[in-house]
Amino acid sequence: SQTIHQWPATLVQPVGSPLSLECTVEGTSNPNLYWYRQAAGRGLQLLFYSVGIGQISSEVPQNLSASRPQDRQFILSSKKLLLSDSGFYLCAWDPSTLAGGPFRNIQYFGAGTRLSVL
Amino acid sequence: DAKTTQPPSMDCAEGRAANLPCNHSTISGNEYVYWYRQIHSQGPQYIIHGLKNNETNEMASLIITEDRKSSTLILPHATLRDTAVYYCIVRASGGSNYKLTFGKGTLLTVNP
């Protein structure tokens, strides 16, 4: 079965420090991968998605970047964190092999990383 | 994607059925209705989806009106662990739009 791993679970970082969050998926090949952010009391905001290695699409211009160095690995980074980067970061995947079908809209989420920038 | 409207909150007694409504009056013919839920401090979890027929799985039932302008998610025997924010999302299948738009959802509180 497929599983998604996301770490760390919680992170406290000072303003101006770098960030690296990692997400890996097991049990599937060539998944679509996503990074979402949820600010306190707010809805989920899609930050980046990737349909393949090295292919990154950004939904919101910001202080963050994403990379996909391997098929099942997705990394969220920042060179200098801002206070506004605090939030709950979620990685998700869906099966790209089902493109064109309704099951392509079923995304599976990791447990999330709660980031506090102080 | 069609816009959805959900009540901000609902309460339900443990063991009773929880009926969560969703309005999607501008839904198009090729758009499906999806339901997700998010338990506090966890990632969202897919529950069920449907096009026009009623659907049932081990988690819930989805009732879609004949005109498809609204739907109801039914949790037949709600437990305390079903307390979560429930999101109704309308999307066309496939295509190049990868974005799942989560609105504010309905906070369902199951009371003992």
Side-chain angles (χ1 to χ4, degrees), chain A residues 34 38 59 102 105-107 109, chain B residues 34 36 38 44 91-92 98:
Chain A
Y34 306 82
Q38 188 171 35
E59 284 290 308
N105 291 325
I106 299 174
Q107 293 184 5
F109 287 78
Chain B
Y34 295 82
Y36 283 76
Q38 186 175 20
R91 288 205 69 199
Y98 294 86

Side-chain angles (χ1 to χ4, degrees), chain B residues 4 9 16 21-22 30 36-37 42 60 77 86 88:
Chain B
T4 61
S9 63
R16 296 295 190 107
C22 179
N30 66 342
Y36 283 76
R37 73 178 182 183
Q42 296 183 22
H77 305 286
Y86 287 77
C88 170

Side-chain angles (χ1 to χ4, degrees), chain B residues 12-23:
Chain B
C12 177
E14 188 177 20
R16 296 295 190 107
N19 298 290
L20 294 97
C22 179
N23 286 321

Side-chain angles (χ1 to χ4, degrees), chain A residues 28-103:
Chain A
T28 188
S29 297
N30 194 32
N32 295 321
L33 296 172
Y34 306 82
W35 278 111
Y36 289 85
R37 177 172 61 197
Q38 188 171 35
R42 306 285 295 275
L44 273 76
Q45 179 186 38
L46 178 64
L47 301 176
F48 301 95
Y49 68 88
S50 171
V51 300
I53 296 174
Q55 300 180 61
I56 308 295
S57 296
S58 173
E59 284 290 308
V60 181
Q62 62 218 318
N63 185 41
L64 302 169
S65 62
S67 61
R68 185 171 176 174
Q70 299 180 43
D71 181 42
R72 290 167 290 179
Q73 184 185 29
F74 206 22
I75 298 171
L76 183 69
S77 304
S78 173
K79 292 183 179 179
K80 288 186 178 182
L81 284 169
L82 306 173
L83 288 173
S84 57
D85 292 324
S86 293
F88 190 41
Y89 288 82
L90 289 153
C91 180
W93 73 276
D94 69 46
S96 65
T97 53
L98 294 177
F103 292 93

